[in-house]
Amino acid sequence: DYRQMTLRLTGPDRNLEASLRLLSDLLAHPKTDARFMATARKDARLGDKYFGRDMNDIVRAMLWRIGMGRKSPMLLDMPTAELDRLTAADVETEFKRAQQGQLTACYTGHLQTDSVARMLRRTLPAAERMPYGGYVFDATQVTTPVVYVYDKPDARQAMVGTYAALPPLSSDDVEAKFNVWQNYFSSGGLNSVLFRELRDLRSLVYSCQGISLVHSHKALKDKPIGFYTLAGTQTDKALTTLLLIDSLQAHMPWDEQDMLTARQACVNNVNNASPNFRERPDYVAGQELCGHAQDPNIALVEAIRRTTPQSVRDYYHASVQPAPRAYFVIGNLKAIDRAALRRLGRIVELKKEDFRSR
């Protein structure tokens, strides 16, 4: 989330108070190194120049652009031309402006809580701050069939997949059904539908998975979410793979035992992600920042355990199966049948300029 800034101090407890005094001085009197400005400009120019060489960068940019439209984080980056005009005073002004947001301090160590609180009050004075509302975006609604393509002539493989906007995860029960369905359909595990059908039975892909685009802040839970499928395959198998994914989403095979396995995997995933001693303050602070008064995973795990195979199946038929889908292909487009792609929908060819701010 580009609206968050994190400053982290690590070291022995005996140096905490002195370190906080130095941090306080840095926040109040920032000084921008001219060499840093030159390096930042150079890095931005190189980023523009070399974007498109790494397949993972293209995939991430494609998914954000399809699912978030003009709110894609890459389109919110400062354009290189604007960065070239930026002065040290501009950077320091923006740094101070960033400090006007909601502040959360986290500590992990052996000092007493009251002692740390007194240090923080002395070095980080109280101020009226803007509340954090999360990164607000609207998941793109698919109204007409579209096939997004990006040409990477030197690609040895192709990345293909689908995108659909799904109803909001408005309650713990709905979120639980979605999580179990996603795990069953596209977790990438041996029992998931995509892995079994695309890799195990037909050897079409190198990798396959499902990716969800959801809001982290509690106040935004009433907004629709996005769901992607993503598969890496040989270029000559790209169209076959895409058509099979589309068919599987429209007519998902059903196995109750695999669904029960997926449900238990969801519970295990939550338990395994439980923060350790060092991570716990950050985790609690992050949940509070997103509007939660208690750990949301507690209610989510209970809802997952209540979920039945039939309720997941009903969720799929009501929310996933009828959702209109968009498609995307990244690879050497000369080796892919465009006429066949056109039968899926209108083709929109994206360029580097569609992903990055200019």
Side-chain angles (χ1 to χ4, degrees), residues 290-357:
C290 289
H292 298 284
Q294 63 178 9
D295 188 350
N297 284 332
I298 296 174
L300 179 60
V301 167
E302 292 176 356
I304 291 172
R305 289 180 170 139
R306 291 195 302 268
T307 300
T308 65
Q310 187 58 49
S311 67
V312 176
R313 195 169 189 171
D314 292 342
Y315 172 81
Y316 161 74
H317 286 304
S319 301
V320 179
Q321 189 179 43
R325 288 181 289 280
Y327 311 88
F328 60 89
V329 177
I330 305 170
N332 182 3
L333 297 182
K334 289 183 178 179
I336 298 174
D337 187 348
R338 284 203 176 217
L341 285 178
R342 205 169 285 115
R343 289 195 287 271
L344 288 173
R346 176 173 59 91
I347 293 179
V348 176
E349 184 166 353
L350 298 176
K351 306 288 187 180
K352 178 175 74 172
E353 294 75 19
D354 296 307
F355 298 144
R356 298 176 65 87
S357 57

Side-chain angles (χ1 to χ4, degrees), residues 43-54:
D43 289 347
R45 287 192 292 270
L46 290 175
D48 281 344
K49 180 178 180 180
Y50 291 111
F51 176 82
R53 296 195 178 188
D54 184 83

Side-chain angles (χ1 to χ4, degrees), residues 12 31 59 69 84 108 121 128 141 168 204 256 264:
K31 294 181 176 60
V59 169
D84 285 338
T108 304
R121 291 192 191 99
E128 188 171 340
Q141 298 296 308
L204 285 173
E256 184 167 324
Q264 184 59 48

Side-chain angles (χ1 to χ4, degrees), residues 184-305:
Y184 170 78
F185 182 71
S186 60
S187 68
L190 297 179
N191 291 323
S192 70
V193 171
L194 285 188
F195 184 92
R196 184 173 62 248
E197 297 289 338
L198 297 178
R199 184 178 172 93
D200 191 28
L201 297 180
R202 294 175 176 84
S203 300
L204 285 173
V205 303
Y206 305 112
S207 62
C208 56
Q209 61 178 310
I211 302 170
S212 56
L213 180 65
V214 300
H215 294 85
S216 58
H217 201 283
K218 183 179 180 181
L220 303 175
K221 289 293 186 180
D222 60 343
K223 286 183 170 290
I225 68 168
F227 175 75
Y228 309 91
T229 60
L230 176 66
T233 183
Q234 294 176 355
T235 301
D236 61 341
K237 297 178 180 178
L239 187 58
T240 301
T241 300
L242 184 59
L243 292 173
L244 181 55
I245 292 174
D246 186 47
S247 176
L248 291 171
Q249 281 189 265
H251 309 286
M252 185 181 71
W254 186 256
D255 186 293
E256 184 167 324
Q257 185 56 51
D258 285 345
M259 201 290 302
L260 293 173
T261 300
R263 183 179 66 181
Q264 184 59 48
C266 289
V267 174
N268 295 344
N269 290 341
V270 174
N271 291 335
N272 292 339
S274 180
N276 60 31
F277 167 71
R278 293 266 178 212
E279 298 168 342
R280 200 166 297 152
D282 283 350
Y283 177 80
V284 172
Q287 296 299 340
E288 290 184 347
L289 195 65
C290 289
H292 298 284
Q294 63 178 9
D295 188 350
N297 284 332
I298 296 174
L300 179 60
V301 167
E302 292 176 356
I304 291 172
R305 289 180 170 139

